[in-house]
Amino acid sequence: MSTMKVTFLGTTCMQPTKERNHSGIHVSFGSENLLFDCGEGIQRQMKIAGLKRSKITRIFISHWHGDHALGLAGLISTMAADQVGHTLDIYGPKGSRKKFNHFKKAFPSMNGLPHKLHEVSAGGVILEGKDFIVTAEPLSHSVDCVGFSLKEKDRLKIDMKKAKKAGLVQGPMLAEIQAGKNVRASGKLVKSKNVTSLVVGRKFAYVPDTRPCAGARSLAKNCDALIIESTFLFEDKKLAVKYDHMTAKESAELATKAGALQVYLTHPSIRYRDVSVLLKEAKKYHKKVKFAEDFMSFEV
Ligand SMILES: [Zn+2]
Ligand SMILES: [Zn+2]
């Protein structure tokens, strides 16, 4: 089982601070190194975090607000200069191709890196790997915005005691049983469901800039780790509504209702000098909530 390691590279709202860079989350999983959002300064943040930019396989852009996408041109230009040997896949909401092409016109150096842009027009599965799926859902923000989830596929685990008893020996038979197929052993039919149990895959979700909405709820559903924006306090809900963001209360409530196990709040407004006020509010509505800091990392 591969580790799924998440590192925060940027956790602020619109204005960067000494402690908080613009948005960026790095997730390593098996042979994939994924970047969710790419705010300004992400290259340097990766350097500090000890993460290799040449290893990035895919970048997921939630929306084209500067604090989430301005670092893309710089990062891709440097990856091109590094002569990275693989194709970079970039995913973003409706309208991404046009925006991305503007970047390429302004910075032709980006073309030195083989890349493929995927526009996410509707919600659902946008990528299926051997052992994982990435889903995108539309969110409710002032511009087209999508959130993402990364889910390890569920798998069957063989109970070796039961398998041996049923006459199964090592080899292709076990592989078939693990694939959910029934096999014949010493003339007897062995059903996969009788000698295996289901291991539910881990789920990570990223819900960036949004008001509470169906897309956010669907991404957060039963996830092991949820990163969710929490820009304002509930007493400033008017501002949250005006700028299409969430309050700490709303984010934590949404997470609880969706069954998210561990919650990381991010994207605080700089009007709050200390994020502990946001965290304190959220803690009333979710038992396992932390406030994200730059370079904080965890395993899902
Ligand atoms: Zn933002
Ligand atoms: Zn935004």
Side-chain angles (χ1 to χ4, degrees):
M1 204 168 72
S2 312
T3 51
M4 197 186 278
K5 190 180 177 191
V6 180
T7 307
F8 289 99
L9 298 171
T11 57
T12 191
C13 187
M14 219 170 89
Q15 292 96 336
T17 67
K18 274 196 278 180
E19 294 79 23
R20 293 180 184 273
N21 194 81
H22 278 162
S23 288
I25 298 160
H26 183 277
V27 180
S28 63
F29 179 60
S31 58
E32 298 279 348
N33 283 286
L34 316 172
L35 190 59
F36 291 89
D37 277 338
C38 187
E40 210 183 316
I42 287 301
Q43 295 192 67
R44 190 154 184 274
Q45 295 291 93
M46 286 187 71
K47 212 62 199 167
I48 298 169
L51 297 165
K52 286 201 171 78
R53 62 175 173 259
S54 58
K55 294 221 166 135
I56 297 175
T57 47
R58 305 171 197 277
I59 302 179
F60 300 87
I61 296 293
S62 64
H63 64 300
W64 289 83
H65 274 161
D67 57 325
H68 297 258
L70 263 175
L72 209 48
L75 175 61
I76 293 178
S77 296
T78 314
M79 285 176 80
D82 292 343
Q83 296 190 316
V84 171
H86 62 268
T87 298
L88 177 73
D89 287 284
I90 304 143
Y91 305 77
K94 204 174 87 200
S96 288
R97 193 172 307 281
K98 203 173 159 196
K99 302 265 189 194
F100 189 71
N101 285 342
H102 283 311
F103 258 163
K104 288 204 287 186
K105 237 184 193 165
F107 306 105
S109 52
M110 291 170 74
N111 288 308
L113 179 76
H115 61 267
K116 216 176 190 177
L117 187 105
H118 310 260
E119 262 190 30
V120 177
S121 46
V125 174
I126 57 164
L127 168 68
E128 184 168 355
K130 195 176 120 271
D131 51 1
F132 69 94
I133 347 175
V134 177
T135 301
E137 291 296 339
L139 300 175
S140 172
H141 197 39
S142 51
V143 295
D144 281 308
C145 183
V146 287
F148 303 95
S149 74
L150 166 68
K151 167 98 169 69
E152 182 183 32
K153 285 183 185 171
D154 297 344
R155 61 196 167 84
L156 292 174
K157 190 174 172 234
I158 300 175
D159 182 324
M160 282 313 290
K161 257 191 189 164
K162 284 186 185 168
K164 264 192 188 156
K165 222 176 160 187
L168 292 173
V169 283
Q170 291 289 350
M173 264 185 189
L174 287 178
E176 295 219 344
I177 281 285
Q178 195 160 23
K181 290 178 191 153
N182 302 332
V183 296
R184 262 188 189 282
S186 331
K188 269 198 307 185
L189 182 72
V190 183
K191 287 188 176 171
S192 175
K193 65 173 187 184
N194 293 340
V195 292
T196 59
S197 57
L198 186 73
V199 180
V200 176
R202 293 160 290 174
K203 182 181 177 187
F204 155 82
Y206 173 45
V207 175
D209 303 18
T210 187
R211 287 293 300 145
C213 63
R217 285 189 283 273
S218 156
L219 291 166
K221 188 126 191 87
N222 298 330
C223 70
D224 298 280
L226 169 68
I227 297 174
I228 188 165
E229 77 119 304
S230 168
T231 309
F232 295 104
L233 279 173
F234 192 67
E235 65 185 31
D236 297 320
K237 192 180 166 189
K238 266 192 186 156
L239 294 174
V241 172
K242 186 175 173 192
Y243 296 112
D244 291 301
H245 284 296
M246 280 197 275
T247 66
K249 175 180 187 269
E250 288 169 330
S251 308
E253 266 183 349
L254 188 149
T256 299
K257 280 185 191 156
L261 295 182
Q262 176 70 57
V263 180
Y264 295 86
L265 304 177
T266 187
H267 203 274
S269 161
I270 59 157
R271 67 193 291 117
Y272 312 112
R273 257 191 229 151
D274 187 346
V275 297
S276 65
V277 289
L278 292 158
L279 182 60
K280 197 175 156 204
E281 177 173 297
K283 277 190 167 165
K284 285 189 230 160
Y285 304 94
H286 195 285
K287 282 196 197 94
K288 283 189 84 182
V289 55
K290 289 181 182 171
F291 215 103
E293 306 284 342
D294 286 21
F295 308 117
M296 187 191 259
S297 71
F298 63 90
E299 273 186 28
V300 182

